[in-house]
Amino acid sequence: MSGDGGKRERILAAALDIFSTQGFSNTTVQEIAERARVGKGTFYTYFPSKEDALTYLLDEGLTHMGQHIESKVQTLKGSVVKLQAIVQEQLRYFHNHQPLCRLITREVWGHNDQSSSLAQRIRSSYIKMLQEVIDNGIKEGELRTLDSETVATALYGMISIVALYAKELSSDQGLEYIEMTLQELFFSGITQPRTIMGEA
Amino acid sequence: MSGDGGKRERILAAALDIFSTQGFSNTTVQEIAERARVGKGTFYTYFPSKEDALTYLLDEGLTHMGQHIESKVQTLKGSVVKLQAIVQEQLRYFHNHQPLCRLITREVWGHNDQSSSLAQRIRSSYIKMLQEVIDNGIKEGELRTLDSETVATALYGMISIVALYAKELSSDQGLEYIEMTLQELFFSGITQPRTIMGEA
Amino acid sequence: MSGDGGKRERILAAALDIFSTQGFSNTTVQEIAERARVGKGTFYTYFPSKEDALTYLLDEGLTHMGQHIESKVQTLKGSVVKLQAIVQEQLRYFHNHQPLCRLITREVWGHNDQSSSLAQRIRSSYIKMLQEVIDNGIKEGELRTLDSETVATALYGMISIVALYAKELSSDQGLEYIEMTLQELFFSGITQPRTIMGEA
Amino acid sequence: MSGDGGKRERILAAALDIFSTQGFSNTTVQEIAERARVGKGTFYTYFPSKEDALTYLLDEGLTHMGQHIESKVQTLKGSVVKLQAIVQEQLRYFHNHQPLCRLITREVWGHNDQSSSLAQRIRSSYIKMLQEVIDNGIKEGELRTLDSETVATALYGMISIVALYAKELSSDQGLEYIEMTLQELFFSGITQPRTIMGEA
DNA sequence: AATGAATGAGACTTCATTCAT
DNA sequence: CATGAATGAAGTCTCATTCAT
């Protein structure tokens, strides 16, 4: 729509792909430009620096993921139902956007210095949203009384790493099986329930 | 007494610290040498390249963590008991070795290209160990029948990300609370058990 | 007009000058760039490495010299006439291109390891050409029956070292005198012909 | 005799070998020490610097060659006889000491800057000696009246380059053939003598 | 707007030399 | 004497960024 032949989008897509594969520092602007089929100088027409492109990707990615998931969740009623949807959607989103997921994992969780900028953002946006849903569930008695911040973080970590781990899965068949496993694990735990009287 | 005044250890400690804080690519050998209080050339007396130092740190870290946890677990009986110990030990280990944890998270999970070397190693060593414990628990009826590979990965991810997230926690008080939450979550799930009728 | 302001030529000229004066290993890319009035990085826009620039200079130099001399010689008739021209032209060429001559002497004759690449080339190109002219002369009876390979090599060595030695000569006067001496020496030998008695 | 187990000799031999094969700048003190089976520090017990070892080798080599050849020549009578012996001895010496010959070729003839030190020395010592023999021969009428400096230089260059070229020759058979060719060429020239009337 | 030639700061790595043992 | 661990100066090469076209 910008009349630029989609150059900006091509640059962003190329940057995301290569950043996630090789890492930010090992990616050259040259590579991005080539993959995007533009001149190296053109990169700088759209982004002030390589760093800015990364920041933009992370920002946009987090925002988009948050909006996507919230849009799926907000109409649902009940904390368990909402959390079930969150697990499903986040897993699928990360599975469909592995490069973004990998980027977040490396650049957000892997860094310590510029904690102000990136790590904080995801915590204060996405994880806070999870936490609120969980808090509500606890208040309403649907969920057990556990520390919601820890649970939210654990849920996020569980899904991210599984999504990265499952990268070889190409069939949605496999993805559904994994999703079911995660749902069971998260909602009911790993332990075999001690049937109240039976077992005797 | 290696007769080297502990230079090798100082270099490794410095490298781990700075790698985990700034990332591998943003760390210069100069910085490592300065932090280790040795000359720049001395770095190369102990490691053939910056890359080799990283590989060594990851290798050694993974091996040490694996051995540490296995030593705590192997004398225990029962899958649930073993898994409880694993959760406890891995959380504490990552909490006590946050730089290593951060390094693994970024360099192992954040990369895609050299999948052969590092990502494979942690999957095939540590996670496989978790998987075996879980498989045994399922076979013996202590654990529910879930996909053990997914569960093992989820457990690993849950603990890692929480350990990184909880980095501001300095009191063991806080750590114990987090640990308890994770134990409850992992073993019993987040859902309030629907007591069949009673509870009234 | 290559549109590059002759940068490539300036770099080559600078490299040749400094290589021949200080030697390849003692020459820094920085020096070449400064002499060529370009930035250090610009050197690498035109050549992949310092080594490549050397190789290019030697290759181009040998080729150019060979073509130059062959062009002078090919129209001439008679082996002696041809060889006279070769002596004249090679001496003048090396005298006018002393840096190249010095470079060849050091890098081609002075090395032993990468014999495959450079030393072979000059032998198989230029010296082989000399050898053919000599072989023809022997066949046609104009020249004495001597080992043509040794003679060709000797001729080449004689001219090269004299050209390097005579570097202080700036007047063509001096060069002509040296040339005459070489011609006499090569064609007639150093010995006073023992005219048995007569000739008077 | 120095009671040092021949360490100094081993170092010199190692340095000569490696210098001549790889060049001075591409040779590390480490390599020399290893080849000489001494510690790296020991090198500096015998030579103040790597450069000094090179200088010593060149100095010693030139002196030794000069003495060797002069000792063979001084008892002979007649310029032609002396020059014949010189050709024979220098060719053999260079053939038997190819590393030295290569070193001289590269470091003496290939350089331009420190002309004061090395290039001057060989010119003023060895070549001057040749020149004197030639001058005498001319004065006595045995040799033709040619510029003795040029002839001496040419003779030196002829023999050096042939000796380097003939490095693949291992049999003395081959060497003798080459020597004969050089003698013929130098003393009688390449041209078929126009027998005064004969040829008819 | 688009481009890529040009640039120089800066990174990794090597290696001659020193010096404590 | 002999040694090799330690060092930092220096060199090659990369790459983000600029700018003239």
Side-chain angles (χ1 to χ4, degrees):
Chain A
M1 316 306 170
S2 310
D4 59 4
K7 284 203 175 80
R8 194 185 154 88
E9 274 63 37
R10 292 213 307 275
I11 291 172
L12 282 171
L16 178 57
D17 259 12
I18 313 186
F19 283 165
S20 82
T21 306
Q22 308 179 347
F24 175 76
S25 296
N26 291 325
T27 300
T28 69
V29 172
Q30 180 78 242
E31 286 174 296
I32 297 172
E34 276 169 13
R35 171 88 66 107
R37 285 172 290 123
V38 299
K40 192 176 15 164
T42 306
F43 178 93
Y44 289 91
T45 307
Y46 291 95
F47 299 96
S49 74
K50 195 174 75 152
E51 181 92 24
D52 278 273
L54 172 66
T55 302
Y56 181 85
L57 281 170
L58 285 170
D59 262 352
E60 188 203 42
L62 285 171
T63 302
H64 184 258
M65 181 182 77
Q67 288 174 344
H68 173 81
I69 293 181
E70 279 193 87
S71 77
K72 295 278 184 177
V73 164
Q74 62 187 1
T75 60
L76 300 176
K77 298 296 181 194
S79 301
V80 169
V81 172
K82 282 187 174 183
L83 279 173
Q84 282 173 333
I86 286 174
V87 170
Q88 182 181 76
E89 293 302 329
Q90 192 190 333
L91 182 64
R92 290 185 181 182
Y93 194 91
F94 273 174
H95 185 255
N96 292 330
H97 301 79
Q98 274 217 15
L100 172 65
C101 179
R102 205 182 312 282
L103 209 58
I104 293 173
T105 300
R106 178 168 48 224
E107 305 297 337
V108 175
W109 296 102
H111 274 277
N112 198 20
D113 50 348
Q114 24 170 237
S115 58
S116 56
S117 56
L118 290 171
Q120 296 302 0
R121 189 146 38 220
I122 186 171
R123 289 172 188 168
S124 60
S125 66
Y126 188 71
I127 289 191
K128 189 145 288 178
M129 187 262 288
L130 294 183
Q131 200 178 339
E132 284 168 13
V133 176
I134 292 166
D135 276 330
N136 274 336
I138 293 171
K139 210 178 303 166
E140 295 159 1
E142 286 197 76
L143 304 181
R144 298 170 61 212
T145 303
L146 296 175
D147 180 56
S148 64
E149 196 175 6
T150 300
V151 171
T153 308
L155 178 58
Y156 177 90
M158 188 184 302
I159 298 175
S160 303
I161 301 295
V162 167
L164 287 178
Y165 183 73
K167 75 164 183 300
E168 50 269 12
L169 292 177
S170 51
S171 69
D172 282 347
Q173 179 58 44
L175 188 62
E176 280 172 22
Y177 181 47
I178 286 176
E179 185 200 320
M180 196 202 69
T181 303
L182 278 188
Q183 300 274 13
E184 286 294 320
L185 178 63
F186 181 65
F187 287 100
S188 304
I190 186 69
T191 318
Q192 189 67 267
R194 300 249 161 205
T195 49
I196 310 251
M197 45 183 66
E199 90 167 285
Chain B
M1 306 295 176
S2 310
D4 60 3
K7 285 202 175 73
R8 192 170 204 277
E9 274 63 37
R10 292 213 308 275
I11 291 171
L12 281 172
L16 178 57
D17 260 11
I18 315 187
F19 283 164
S20 81
T21 305
Q22 308 179 348
F24 174 76
S25 297
N26 291 324
T27 301
T28 71
V29 172
Q30 181 79 247
E31 286 174 298
I32 297 173
E34 276 167 13
R35 170 89 65 106
R37 284 171 291 123
V38 299
K40 191 176 16 161
T42 306
F43 178 92
Y44 290 92
T45 306
Y46 291 95
F47 299 95
S49 73
K50 197 175 72 155
E51 181 92 24
D52 277 88
L54 171 66
T55 301
Y56 181 86
L57 282 170
L58 285 171
D59 260 353
E60 189 203 42
L62 285 171
T63 302
H64 184 257
M65 180 183 78
Q67 288 174 345
H68 174 80
I69 293 181
E70 280 193 85
S71 77
K72 296 278 184 176
V73 164
Q74 62 186 0
T75 59
L76 302 177
K77 299 294 182 194
S79 301
V80 168
V81 172
K82 280 187 175 183
L83 278 173
Q84 282 173 333
I86 286 174
V87 170
Q88 182 181 76
E89 293 301 331
Q90 193 189 333
L91 182 65
R92 290 184 181 183
Y93 194 92
F94 274 174
H95 186 256
N96 293 331
H97 301 78
Q98 273 217 14
L100 172 65
C101 179
R102 202 182 313 283
L103 210 58
I104 293 172
T105 301
R106 179 169 44 223
E107 306 296 338
V108 175
W109 296 102
H111 276 274
N112 198 20
D113 49 349
Q114 30 171 227
S115 58
S116 56
S117 54
L118 290 173
Q120 297 301 0
R121 188 146 39 221
I122 185 172
R123 290 171 188 170
S124 60
S125 66
Y126 188 68
I127 290 190
K128 191 145 287 179
M129 188 262 288
L130 295 182
Q131 202 179 338
E132 283 169 14
V133 176
I134 293 166
D135 275 330
N136 274 336
I138 293 172
K139 209 179 302 165
E140 295 160 1
E142 288 197 74
L143 303 182
R144 297 170 63 211
T145 303
L146 295 174
D147 180 57
S148 65
E149 196 176 4
T150 299
V151 171
T153 308
L155 177 58
Y156 177 90
M158 187 184 304
I159 298 174
S160 303
I161 300 296
V162 167
L164 286 179
Y165 183 73
K167 74 165 183 299
E168 50 269 12
L169 293 176
S170 50
S171 69
D172 282 347
Q173 179 57 44
L175 186 63
E176 280 173 22
Y177 181 46
I178 287 175
E179 185 201 321
M180 197 202 68
T181 303
L182 280 187
Q183 299 274 15
E184 286 294 321
L185 177 64
F186 181 65
F187 288 100
S188 305
I190 187 67
T191 318
Q192 189 68 265
R194 299 247 159 210
T195 49
I196 310 250
M197 47 180 65
E199 95 165 281
Chain C
M1 305 302 173
S2 310
D4 61 2
K7 285 203 174 73
R8 191 169 205 277
E9 274 64 36
R10 293 213 306 275
I11 291 172
L12 282 171
L16 178 58
D17 260 11
I18 314 188
F19 283 164
S20 81
T21 306
Q22 309 180 349
F24 174 76
S25 296
N26 291 325
T27 301
T28 70
V29 172
Q30 182 77 248
E31 287 174 298
I32 298 172
E34 275 167 15
R35 169 89 65 108
R37 284 172 291 121
V38 298
K40 190 183 11 165
T42 306
F43 178 92
Y44 290 93
T45 305
Y46 291 95
F47 299 95
S49 72
K50 196 175 73 156
E51 181 92 27
D52 277 271
L54 171 66
T55 301
Y56 181 86
L57 282 170
L58 286 171
D59 260 353
E60 189 203 44
L62 286 171
T63 302
H64 185 256
M65 179 183 78
Q67 288 174 344
H68 174 80
I69 292 181
E70 279 192 87
S71 78
K72 297 277 184 176
V73 164
Q74 62 187 359
T75 60
L76 301 176
K77 299 295 182 195
S79 301
V80 168
V81 172
K82 280 187 176 185
L83 278 173
Q84 283 173 333
I86 285 174
V87 170
Q88 181 181 78
E89 292 302 329
Q90 192 188 333
L91 181 65
R92 290 185 181 182
Y93 195 92
F94 274 174
H95 186 256
N96 292 332
H97 300 78
Q98 274 217 16
L100 172 65
C101 181
R102 201 182 315 282
L103 209 57
I104 293 172
T105 301
R106 180 169 43 222
E107 306 297 337
V108 174
W109 295 102
H111 276 274
N112 197 20
D113 49 349
Q114 30 170 227
S115 58
S116 57
S117 54
L118 290 171
Q120 297 301 358
R121 188 146 39 222
I122 185 170
R123 291 171 187 170
S124 60
S125 66
Y126 187 70
I127 290 191
K128 189 145 289 178
M129 187 263 288
L130 294 184
Q131 201 179 338
E132 283 168 14
V133 175
I134 293 166
D135 276 329
N136 274 336
I138 293 171
K139 209 179 303 165
E140 295 160 1
E142 288 198 74
L143 304 182
R144 298 170 60 212
T145 303
L146 295 175
D147 179 57
S148 63
E149 195 176 5
T150 299
V151 171
T153 308
L155 176 57
Y156 177 91
M158 187 184 302
I159 298 175
S160 303
I161 301 297
V162 167
L164 286 179
Y165 183 74
K167 74 164 184 302
E168 49 270 12
L169 293 176
S170 51
S171 69
D172 283 347
Q173 179 58 44
L175 186 63
E176 279 173 23
Y177 182 46
I178 287 176
E179 184 201 320
M180 196 203 67
T181 304
L182 279 188
Q183 301 273 14
E184 286 293 321
L185 177 63
F186 180 66
F187 288 99
S188 305
I190 187 66
T191 317
Q192 189 66 267
R194 301 238 158 220
T195 47
I196 306 248
M197 44 180 67
E199 103 165 87
Chain D
M1 313 299 174
S2 311
D4 60 4
K7 284 203 175 79
R8 194 185 155 88
E9 273 63 36
R10 291 212 308 275
I11 290 171
L12 281 171
L16 178 57
D17 260 12
I18 314 187
F19 283 164
S20 81
T21 306
Q22 309 179 346
F24 174 75
S25 296
N26 292 324
T27 300
T28 69
V29 173
Q30 181 77 244
E31 286 175 296
I32 297 172
E34 275 169 14
R35 171 88 67 106
R37 285 171 291 123
V38 299
K40 191 175 18 163
T42 306
F43 178 93
Y44 289 91
T45 307
Y46 292 94
F47 299 95
S49 74
K50 195 174 77 154
E51 182 92 25
D52 278 273
L54 172 67
T55 302
Y56 181 86
L57 281 171
L58 285 170
D59 263 352
E60 187 204 44
L62 286 172
T63 302
H64 184 256
M65 181 183 77
Q67 288 175 345
H68 173 81
I69 293 181
E70 279 192 88
S71 79
K72 295 278 185 176
V73 165
Q74 63 187 359
T75 60
L76 301 177
K77 300 293 183 196
S79 302
V80 168
V81 171
K82 281 187 175 183
L83 278 173
Q84 281 173 334
I86 286 175
V87 170
Q88 181 180 78
E89 293 301 329
Q90 192 190 334
L91 181 64
R92 291 186 180 182
Y93 194 90
F94 274 175
H95 185 256
N96 293 331
H97 301 77
Q98 273 217 15
L100 173 66
C101 179
R102 203 180 313 283
L103 210 58
I104 293 172
T105 300
R106 179 169 49 224
E107 306 295 338
V108 174
W109 296 102
H111 275 276
N112 197 20
D113 50 348
Q114 25 172 231
S115 58
S116 56
S117 56
L118 290 172
Q120 296 302 2
R121 188 145 39 220
I122 185 171
R123 290 170 188 170
S124 60
S125 67
Y126 188 70
I127 290 190
K128 189 144 289 178
M129 188 262 289
L130 294 184
Q131 198 179 340
E132 283 168 13
V133 176
I134 292 165
D135 276 331
N136 274 337
I138 293 171
K139 210 178 303 167
E140 296 159 1
E142 287 198 77
L143 303 182
R144 298 170 60 213
T145 303
L146 296 175
D147 179 57
S148 64
E149 195 175 6
T150 299
V151 171
T153 308
L155 178 58
Y156 177 89
M158 187 184 305
I159 297 175
S160 303
I161 300 295
V162 167
L164 287 178
Y165 184 72
K167 75 164 182 298
E168 50 270 13
L169 292 177
S170 50
S171 69
D172 282 348
Q173 178 59 45
L175 188 63
E176 280 174 21
Y177 182 48
I178 287 176
E179 185 200 320
M180 195 202 69
T181 304
L182 280 187
Q183 300 273 14
E184 286 293 321
L185 178 63
F186 181 66
F187 288 100
S188 304
I190 187 68
T191 317
Q192 190 67 268
R194 301 253 160 200
T195 48
I196 311 247
M197 45 183 62
E199 93 168 280

